[in-house]
Amino acid sequence: MAIAESNIRPTATVRARAGKNYSRAKIAVPGNRGIKVVQAVTIRKPAAELYAFWRDLPNLMQVINHPVSITALSPDESHWSVSAPAGKRVEWDALIINDVTDCLIAWRSRDGAEVQNAGSVRFEAAPGDEGTEVTVALEYNPPGGKLGAMVAKLTRDSAGSQVYDALRRFKALMETGEIPTIKGQPVGGPQRGQKGKK
Amino acid sequence: MGKRKVEVQRVDDPRILRPRDCIVKITSTAICSSDIHLYNGYIPTLEKGDILGHEFMGEVVEIGPQVKTLKVGDRVVVPFTISCGKCTHCVRQQYSVCDNTNPNWHVAETAMGFPPAGILGYSHMTGGYAGGQAQYARVPHADVGPIKIENDLPDDKVLFLSDIFPTGYMAAEACDIVPGQSVVAVWGCGPVGQFAIRSAFLLGAAKVIRIDSLPERRAMAEAAGALTIHSGMDVMEELKALTGGRGPDASIDAVGMEAHGSAYDQVRQTLKMETDRPFALRQAIRCTRKAGIVSVPGVYGGFIDKVPMGAAMNKGLTFRMGQTHMQKYMKPLLKLIEGGKIDPSFVVTHRVPLSKAAKAYPLFVEKKDKCIKVVLDPAA
């Protein structure tokens, strides 16, 4: 099954640039059990600049808020390690299966991955002077039958919000050079006023 | 520190956290009327231990490596909104809805659909940034926000460029004033209302009418040349009498979410059936001339009830509102101050050492002792 068909239908531009290399069937998780997430953000930077950041996959560690480690094994292969509940880690190797300079990157996990996953990011000119529309489609297959399906239901929102959060951080970093934060700022202590102290 | 509890504590000094930050040693800081909404517990997402304050100025004592426009020792006024200067909204001078300065965008999106800019010292909905009722403050995007003061004007004359002067000015500018002709009505004569009145005159309004109930605020408005109506009177009839029966061309709601005058709203707000009390807004909608403008600098936080949408629609009113696009106004308004067109220090009624700020809050909130504006001295 292809990922969220209606949402990742490629534009004419992407299809033209991709030529015969474009195949939706390739960015897929087997069966129809995957959790599908599509999120988008508009960034006031040229597509080429955004693509270049994303194509160097370990850069994504800066924008993914969840603890993750990404190692490039070759130009098209990378190793991902994500912390999971109860101190566990989920690891997999990912393969870039479609790469259209300044337009599209698509990837999927290698066969046998514990959590099968696939995804794509598209960079398309937004209307007028708005910049570039960046759309991420992600699909993953949580392990474990019925329990997995339940987890899937529970995690659908959080997967969506994590992808969106990463896109917001990506936008801030690209547009301003930094990601906004309040971590490390001073904060008041427990209330003391009622005990009559200053 | 909880509803209606503010206290002064010793905390760690702020640090540079991002390359475009600066640290300001504060020389003057004020309590804003919008802090009342926080104090009274009507803005959700304020947390215990949050540091309030978004109207301050001082001296730059540390700058991040990417700040090229300031140097240590510069005297600056800091705007209450934080804007990146790079996103599409900032490029369009819509600074208060900057895309990139609210780290809690998910909180704001849940409530509002899309997140507005970060605001210093104003709850976690707008970023949770530590504020400036303090001796030092961290100012993010310091290359976009703070403006340098390169004259020897005292703090009192330039401090209010941090919020209330630009806020009142933007509200008046939104009224599309035709010089020598327009009549503007202003609900609420707190500090923002006072600046809206003076700004309307600066923009050429023929007549400005203020609606409020407090005599000391009336006196301050009359000193600027405004006509006054007591909010306890039949405001519609009074406004008609003062405008040849037309009604004001534009109305400014400088009151916002905690208007007095409606027991209905007071009860509903207390019961959490509505978050805001829009009494002034309702009256403004009713009283505004056909095809007129309603300009809303007053802060609303959530939902309001019984808005006369029928009146607004059928009279063809235009609504303009928003947090202030500070960076658009600070420099031109500084020029007005330097040119002697306005002296913002008129609004100050009380000076209090920062160490006594906990006592200043109830004084200000309950409008005791003819209190209109409190300036806090961080050194005392």
Side-chain angles (χ1 to χ4, degrees), chain A residues 4-15:
Chain A
E5 238 173 33
S6 61
N7 285 313
I8 67 145
R9 191 159 294 153
T11 60
T13 337
V14 173
R15 222 180 264 141

Side-chain angles (χ1 to χ4, degrees), chain A residues 44 129-130 164-165 168 171-172 175-176 178-194, chain B residues 1 5 7 9 11-12 15 17-20 49 84 86-88 91-92 99-100 105 109 127-128 130 138:
Chain A
R44 200 180 176 84
D129 69 345
E130 299 276 359
Y164 182 68
D165 196 58
R168 291 291 318 202
K171 173 182 165 71
E175 288 184 340
T176 76
E178 61 185 58
I179 296 166
T181 191
I182 56 169
K183 273 182 201 151
Q185 73 176 10
V187 62
Q191 192 164 336
R192 293 169 297 179
Q194 284 168 322
Chain B
M1 305 305 295
K5 290 195 185 77
E7 62 178 51
Q9 291 188 355
V11 299
D12 294 337
R15 300 181 284 123
L17 299 176
R18 286 290 185 259
R20 292 171 66 193
C84 78
K86 313 283 185 192
C87 70
T88 296
V91 169
R92 292 176 182 166
D99 275 337
N100 291 320
W105 49 66
E109 283 189 359
R138 166 194 171 225

